[in-house]
Amino acid sequence: MPASHGILARGPWTPDQVQARWREDHFEPPSEASDAADEAIAALRERGSPSHDGVSARLSGFDAARDQLSLELQPMRWALRLGEYAEQALAALCVTRAADGRWLAGRRAPWVASWAGRWALGAGGAVEMGENPAHTLARELEEEWSVVPERLSVEALVRIPTSLILFVGMAWLADGSDIVSDEEHDAHAWWPADIDRWPPEADEPLRLMAHLLVEA
């Protein structure tokens, strides 16, 4: 059964306060988890979705201090995160805001592997083998929206009900920054700085995440 969900650690930290150590041994999942990953990849291929079933990160341990966040990461099969129990796979979420406080939201294209057709905040993706998750935040933001943040902070580790762990950062863009969406999004919008004024498509998990970030 998945571990209980919620906030595991709360920052903020600067990117250079995040230390990541990669273990040499790969995570070995139970056979049922591997079978579920195989089925998920097959289903993606059947609907014409590209599947990049490589190696990403699993959070096997961490230590959160006031001035440093230390992470122990373990290589694991990327597709394991697609099952009902994500085996503590680590994903980066770079929540992104304009200089005037508005929130960047993008609707995920219907062909993507995760959260297809749903609205999401900022940019996100898997932590690549050997990568520091703090670097993942900026990389995903540039890949998905073609923009570099003016300021970037690491805000929290959050476990969601499937046991996927989100490494959450917040990026602030310079005034006048122009974004260009990638093919993983089919629409985008700037939601108001006031979360209570967000449109109906902003579902409750997005609102909870935003409140977490502003109530520090």
Side-chain angles (χ1 to χ4, degrees):
M1 293 294 293
S4 60
H5 60 282
I7 300 170
L8 302 179
R10 186 70 175 96
W13 300 275
T14 62
D16 61 3
Q17 289 177 324
V18 178
Q19 305 297 317
R21 184 183 75 84
W22 281 81
R23 293 169 49 166
E24 294 184 1
D25 60 308
H26 284 237
F27 174 67
E28 296 295 336
S31 59
E32 57 269 24
S34 292
D35 292 343
D38 290 340
E39 292 176 3
I41 289 294
L44 287 174
R45 289 173 178 157
E46 286 178 3
R47 65 181 174 91
S49 176
S51 56
H52 307 286
D53 188 14
V55 177
S56 61
R58 174 181 183 267
L59 183 66
S60 62
F62 71 92
D63 182 57
R66 180 172 165 180
D67 59 352
Q68 183 170 293
L69 175 63
S70 299
L71 306 173
E72 183 179 75
L73 305 179
Q74 186 176 24
M76 71 174 288
R77 182 184 176 188
W78 175 87
L80 290 170
R81 71 187 56 226
L82 302 177
E84 293 184 1
Y85 178 31
E87 306 285 354
Q88 297 208 157
L90 187 66
L93 173 62
C94 186
V95 176
T96 306
R97 304 186 71 179
D100 61 7
R102 290 173 299 155
W103 305 75
L104 175 61
R107 188 174 64 194
R108 304 270 291 165
W111 59 265
V112 297
S114 302
W115 293 291
R118 291 178 55 183
W119 286 83
L121 294 172
V127 179
E128 296 180 352
M129 178 71 175
E131 189 174 40
N132 186 316
H135 300 158
T136 311
L137 296 171
R139 174 179 60 77
E140 290 289 348
L141 181 59
E142 186 168 9
E143 289 177 358
E144 294 187 17
W145 298 103
S146 299
V147 71
V148 175
E150 183 175 56
R151 306 193 314 274
L152 179 65
S153 58
V154 176
E155 295 290 332
L157 288 173
V158 179
R159 181 192 279 121
I160 67 175
T162 63
S163 190
L164 180 74
I165 296 175
L166 298 177
F167 179 88
V168 183
M170 184 145 65
W172 289 84
L173 304 184
D175 191 21
S177 295
D178 292 324
I179 60 167
V180 180
S181 64
D182 67 355
E183 61 182 6
E184 292 187 359
H185 298 87
D186 60 11
H188 76 273
W190 286 100
W191 290 347
D194 182 354
I195 301 167
D196 291 336
R197 295 177 54 215
W198 281 9
E201 57 265 31
D203 61 20
E204 190 60 24
L206 298 184
R207 295 172 187 270
L208 290 174
M209 179 63 70
H211 279 296
L212 165 67
L213 296 176
V214 300
E215 291 170 1

